[in-house]
């Protein structure tokens, strides 16, 4: 469902992502890990059409993200670590606006509104202006809006930042549930316990290069460390981390 072939990104002469080749099948939760500055966000931005790769290609559901960006975007949702929201809209207006952008009917938006606002505990905040919502509530609104057009692929940069433990638990089970229903989820995180809890497979990137790929057990066994993911991660990335 997500395919990358020899993806590269240069910022000037700086080589931020190096020959990244990776496939993520339908229904997989893939966690992309790496130290600060490793190239995770750059990769996400190339996959979501926000950055043009310097070379290489990427496809979402077989659609080339550079050649056919609109079609690719219809099939995906992207939750950045600091999403942009329209402050002067109410939570309901924001949700409706996003649905309209995706060309959904009023009926579909209203139906999804009830389900989604109830799930994310947003019903009592429906009339609040986005600018008056707390960070966590804004994040919940972004989640709600991201699922609205039923994307095949969900990209999330740091999914749990600023969320309370109840919401974290709800998001984790939601991600597993969505993947079970066929959604492909590609996320980056520094919270290694999240990867342990939800990932089908993990990729570790260091200085722009993929240095480990596999299930948690596979990564543990190739690293030669018997500890948890944190220990394995620290061992694998110690030479490239600050
Ligand atoms: P973090 O965990 O800190 O968010 P990351 O793995 O997401 O890091 P990226 O944001 O992809 O890392 O950055 C990869 C490298 O590219 C870093 O060295 C960063 O400084 C550099 N970089 C990112 N964006 C730009 C840019 N617009 N211009 C120049 N260099 C950039």
């Amino acid at each position: 469902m997500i395919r990358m072939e020899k993806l590269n990104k240069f910022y000037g002469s700086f080589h931020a992502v190096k020959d990244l080749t990776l496939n993520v099948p339908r229904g997989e939760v893939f966690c992309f890990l790496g130290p600060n500055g490793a190239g995770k966000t750059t990769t996400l931005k190339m996959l979501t059409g926000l950055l043009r790769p310097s070379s290489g290609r990427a496809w979402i559901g077989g659609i080339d993200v550079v050649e056919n960006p609109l079609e690719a975007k219809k099939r995906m949702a992207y939750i950045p670590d600091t999403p942009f929201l329209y402050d002067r809209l109410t939570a309901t207006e924001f949700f409706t606006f996003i649905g309209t952008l995706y060309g959904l009917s009023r009926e579909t938006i209203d139906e999804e509104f009830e389900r989604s606002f109830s799930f994310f505990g947003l019903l009592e905040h429906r009339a609040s202006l986005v600018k008056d919502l707390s960070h966590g509530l804004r994040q919940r609104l972004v989640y709600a809006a991201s699922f609205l057009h039923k994307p095949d692929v969900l990209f999330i940069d740091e999914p749990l930042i600023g969320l309370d433990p109840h919401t974290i638990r709800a998001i984790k089970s939601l991600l597993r549930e969505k993947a079970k229903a066929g959604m492909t989820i590609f996320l980056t995180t520094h919270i290694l316990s999240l990867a342990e809890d939800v990932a089908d497979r993990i990729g570790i990137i260091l200085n722009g290069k993929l240095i480990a790929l596999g299930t948690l057990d596979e990564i543990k066994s190739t690293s030669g460390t018997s500890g948890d993911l944190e220990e394995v991660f620290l061992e694998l990335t110690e030479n490239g981390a600050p």
Side-chain angles (χ1 to χ4, degrees):
M1 182 56 78
I2 305 172
R3 190 170 149 221
M4 294 159 244
E5 216 171 270
K6 286 189 167 289
L7 263 195
N8 282 279
K9 182 66 192 176
F10 285 89
Y11 293 113
S13 61
F14 177 69
H15 201 174
V17 172
K18 299 168 182 160
D19 274 338
L20 184 58
T21 296
L22 181 62
N23 289 318
V24 181
R26 182 174 184 271
E28 180 167 285
V29 178
F30 184 84
C31 283
F32 202 37
L33 312 178
N36 290 133
K40 302 178 299 294
T41 302
T42 300
T43 303
L44 273 188
K45 285 184 174 169
M46 289 193 285
L47 293 173
T48 51
L50 295 174
L51 261 184
R52 208 184 166 86
S54 304
S55 65
R57 294 179 72 184
W59 298 263
I60 302 297
I63 300 165
D64 188 305
V65 297
V66 174
E67 283 176 4
N68 211 342
L70 270 185
E71 280 310 309
K73 280 175 190 166
K74 279 185 196 163
R75 306 196 58 181
M76 65 167 94
Y78 173 40
I79 304 181
D81 51 354
T82 43
F84 173 81
L85 286 88
Y86 294 94
D87 279 352
R88 292 271 162 199
L89 297 183
T90 65
T92 307
E93 286 167 346
F94 178 78
F95 187 83
T96 307
F97 172 65
I98 298 295
T100 312
L101 277 185
Y102 280 104
L104 303 179
S105 70
R106 185 74 216 199
E107 208 178 19
T108 307
I109 296 172
D110 288 348
E111 236 175 70
E112 286 300 318
F113 173 84
E114 284 303 321
R115 195 189 349 252
S116 196
F117 268 48
S118 158
F119 179 86
F120 286 103
L122 287 166
L123 278 174
E124 61 184 289
H125 306 284
R126 65 205 310 172
S128 303
L129 288 176
V130 164
K131 75 178 176 60
D132 295 331
L133 296 176
S134 71
H135 172 76
L137 288 173
R138 289 164 70 104
Q139 282 297 93
R140 290 198 226 162
L141 178 58
V142 171
Y143 270 95
S146 301
F147 289 119
L148 181 51
H149 68 291
K150 300 191 167 44
D152 294 324
V153 178
L154 177 63
F155 293 99
I156 323 176
D157 206 349
E158 281 297 350
L160 304 183
I161 294 283
L163 297 175
D164 66 43
H166 296 284
T167 314
I168 287 177
R169 180 170 285 187
I171 296 275
K172 280 184 190 174
S173 49
L174 181 71
L175 294 180
R176 287 294 343 155
E177 208 178 282
K178 291 282 181 188
K180 210 167 159 198
M183 188 184 280
T184 308
I185 299 170
F186 186 105
L187 59 90
T188 76
T189 185
H190 292 298
I191 303 173
L192 300 178
S193 61
L194 171 65
E196 285 177 321
D197 288 349
V198 303
D200 292 306
R201 280 192 313 152
I202 292 168
I204 301 180
I205 184 171
L206 179 67
N207 297 327
K209 259 201 131 25
L210 191 65
I211 57 160
L213 178 68
T215 62
L216 182 56
D217 286 342
E218 285 164 356
I219 287 190
K220 278 183 180 173
S221 68
T222 48
S223 79
T225 309
S226 56
D228 60 7
L229 182 58
E230 183 177 67
E231 202 175 317
V232 171
F233 179 87
L234 292 173
E235 164 94 14
L236 288 172
T237 58
E238 69 175 342
N239 294 325

